[in-house]
Amino acid sequence: MNDTYTETIQRLISESPFEIDTELQITGRIPTLATSAFLTNKQQGDWAEEIVCNAINEYSQEYRALKYGRDDSLDAGDPGFREFYAAYQDELNSVGKKPDILIFHRSDVASESIHDLEDTEFVQSAIAAIEVRSSSFLATRYSDFMSERTHRAEAECAHIQRAILQEPYADLLREKRPHLYKIISEASIDTFREFDFVARGWYSSQTLRELSQYLKDLKEQTKILQRRDYLSITPKLEDISVVNRWIQNFGVPHYYLQVFFDKGYIIPLKDILELTADSRNEDVIFSVERNVKNQGKTTINMNIQVGREVIRRIDMPEHQSAVKEQQRGRLLFYVTFQGGKGYLDPEVFSQEVANG
């Protein structure tokens, strides 16, 4: 067991500005019905794990990946699900959350199928553990779109600024709101995203109405610049609690790997904890939100560019509709994913694992 690593993670969690409860006990109502969205997300998550596992085993000469986390076919509403879910909660509260994938030296694992994942010593011999996350985005397309949107908004801000600083608008704004006039006159491309002002409306003359519209348009463009414009690796604080419990039991360095439909990014849990402990990084390389659609759980949105592009390309899988009939005759239609291929960058992967 890697005592130094477990101590480092425990220390970083204790120093975190967020409330990460290391004694957290998972409780709550057992789900009674699955949804089509849940089944689709589950299929996508399973596909992402396959992509990662196969990419590592095909392209890495040093390491072998073994699927480790729960691989179940029971869903809410299925016979036996209540017992399965209760057992899973007990596991989270005792052992912690098992990572999706364990990484071993190839010399320590002769094949992908002959091993005992219930053997504590064998699991502790892993050199890395990976939590796989999936996202329904094309990372490259998203980045291109956001870059174009940002450049367009910056150009609009500059255009509106020039219009406002011309007469007769400049004198009117200097008279009505001298502080705002000063801010706008000194603004640059780099500071537009810091703008925060109330765009009040004036209506007593045509010129004032035009100035009001300029200010309203400037406000709208700065709002665009202030929106989060990056895709994220998305650990939840509750997940970190139970992930840490597993780490303290087994001592294996943990990583998050976010799989998009065209590439994948990896970041160590240690880096996430270190970066989020620095308040200067908030709203720059990470943000925090409470998702009301996910039982109010607090999620860290970590810019994928802070991680490293470890799967440089992914071939799109085939996808088709499927249907599941529940006990009462309720039909759930969802999407399944088959095939596709991930192309690992073995050098990047080796560097990340070596630094773990």
Side-chain angles (χ1 to χ4, degrees):
M1 177 184 286
N2 189 338
D3 290 333
T4 302
Y5 179 76
T6 60
E7 292 166 359
T8 298
I9 295 299
Q10 190 71 15
R11 175 181 59 79
L12 289 172
I13 287 177
S14 68
E15 295 173 353
S16 173
F18 307 108
E19 295 182 3
I20 303 176
D21 182 6
T22 57
E23 302 299 322
L24 177 71
Q25 293 291 295
I26 303 298
T27 59
R29 183 175 58 86
I30 296 176
T32 56
L33 291 175
T35 65
S36 296
F38 172 83
L39 293 178
T40 296
N41 290 337
K42 181 181 174 183
Q43 288 284 322
Q44 184 176 323
D46 291 345
W47 168 80
E49 290 178 26
E50 288 288 337
I51 287 292
V52 173
C53 236
N54 292 341
I56 293 170
N57 289 334
E58 179 172 355
Y59 289 99
S60 174
Q61 300 300 312
E62 298 178 75
Y63 304 110
R64 188 180 296 280
L66 300 179
K67 294 189 69 174
Y68 176 60
R70 280 184 169 257
D71 184 16
D72 60 90
S73 58
L74 288 178
D75 301 307
D78 290 346
F81 177 78
R82 177 176 293 274
E83 293 75 17
F84 157 78
Y85 192 83
Y88 180 52
Q89 285 188 327
D90 289 343
E91 180 179 279
L92 292 175
N93 291 330
S94 56
V95 177
K97 184 182 184 300
K98 293 180 177 179
D100 300 309
I101 294 172
L102 292 176
I103 307 299
F104 297 85
H105 286 291
R106 280 188 178 266
S107 57
D108 296 335
V109 180
S111 73
E112 296 177 39
S113 57
I114 304 174
H115 45 263
D116 183 2
L117 291 175
E118 298 301 321
D119 182 342
T120 298
E121 289 188 8
F122 177 72
V123 172
Q124 289 176 338
S125 71
I127 60 169
I130 297 178
E131 294 286 322
V132 178
R133 295 288 183 269
S134 65
S135 173
S136 299
F137 278 95
L138 293 168
T140 301
R141 183 76 60 83
Y142 183 92
S143 177
D144 291 345
F145 174 85
M146 287 300 176
S147 179
E148 181 182 346
R149 189 186 74 168
T150 296
H151 291 153
R152 190 164 55 244
E154 289 174 342
E156 280 297 306
C157 284
H159 170 74
I160 296 168
Q161 178 192 39
R162 288 192 296 270
I164 290 174
L165 295 179
Q166 291 178 354
E167 298 303 338
Y169 308 114
D171 279 346
L172 283 172
L173 184 59
R174 190 185 296 111
E175 175 187 339
K176 291 283 189 181
R177 299 182 65 183
H179 180 64
L180 180 57
Y181 171 82
K182 184 175 186 297
I183 292 174
I184 293 176
S185 64
E186 296 175 353
S188 67
I189 292 295
D190 295 328
T191 59
F192 280 132
R193 65 180 65 246
E194 304 299 326
F195 272 21
D196 186 15
F197 64 93
V198 177
R200 295 178 184 146
W202 298 298
Y203 306 99
S204 57
S205 73
Q206 178 63 28
T207 306
L208 280 172
R209 287 194 293 272
E210 291 170 356
L211 174 59
S212 297
Q213 187 61 51
Y214 276 133
L215 292 174
K216 180 180 178 182
D217 292 344
L218 182 62
K219 179 76 171 181
E220 289 302 311
Q221 295 302 318
T222 58
K223 281 182 179 180
I224 291 174
L225 294 176
Q226 291 161 7
R227 293 173 191 158
R228 179 161 58 91
D229 61 355
Y230 54 82
L231 290 171
S232 307
I233 298 172
T234 54
K236 298 179 178 63
L237 294 189
E238 181 180 290
D239 288 348
I240 292 177
S241 298
V242 290
V243 163
N244 174 64
R245 184 168 295 146
W246 190 90
I247 289 173
Q248 298 305 315
N249 279 308
F250 294 91
V252 181
H254 253 62
Y255 298 80
Y256 280 81
L257 202 162
Q258 193 84 25
V259 176
F260 300 94
F261 276 96
D262 58 346
K263 55 183 61 179
Y265 293 82
I266 193 170
I267 185 171
L269 172 61
K270 182 167 68 71
D271 287 7
I272 293 174
L273 293 172
E274 289 174 342
L275 291 167
T276 55
D278 188 342
S279 61
R280 293 171 297 181
N281 291 327
E282 187 166 8
D283 290 333
V284 178
I285 60 174
F286 80 91
S287 63
V288 179
E289 63 183 25
R290 288 177 61 85
N291 190 343
V292 296
K293 295 181 180 179
N294 193 11
Q295 302 174 329
K297 293 181 180 179
T298 301
T299 300
I300 297 171
N301 298 304
M302 180 69 63
N303 190 337
I304 58 170
Q305 299 302 327
V306 177
R308 300 189 69 187
E309 185 181 306
V310 69
I311 300 180
R312 60 184 183 272
R313 193 180 98 222
I314 295 176
D315 293 339
M316 184 69 70
E318 295 181 1
H319 48 90
Q320 59 186 19
S321 64
V323 62
K324 179 170 184 173
E325 180 179 344
Q326 295 193 309
Q327 280 185 303
R328 293 181 296 175
R330 180 170 176 252
L331 299 180
L332 293 177
F333 296 89
Y334 59 100
V335 179
T336 63
F337 303 87
Q338 300 292 332
K341 181 179 178 179
Y343 298 82
L344 184 80
D345 187 324
E347 182 177 351
V348 169
F349 186 70
S350 294
Q351 290 170 354
E352 285 296 313
V353 170
N355 293 332

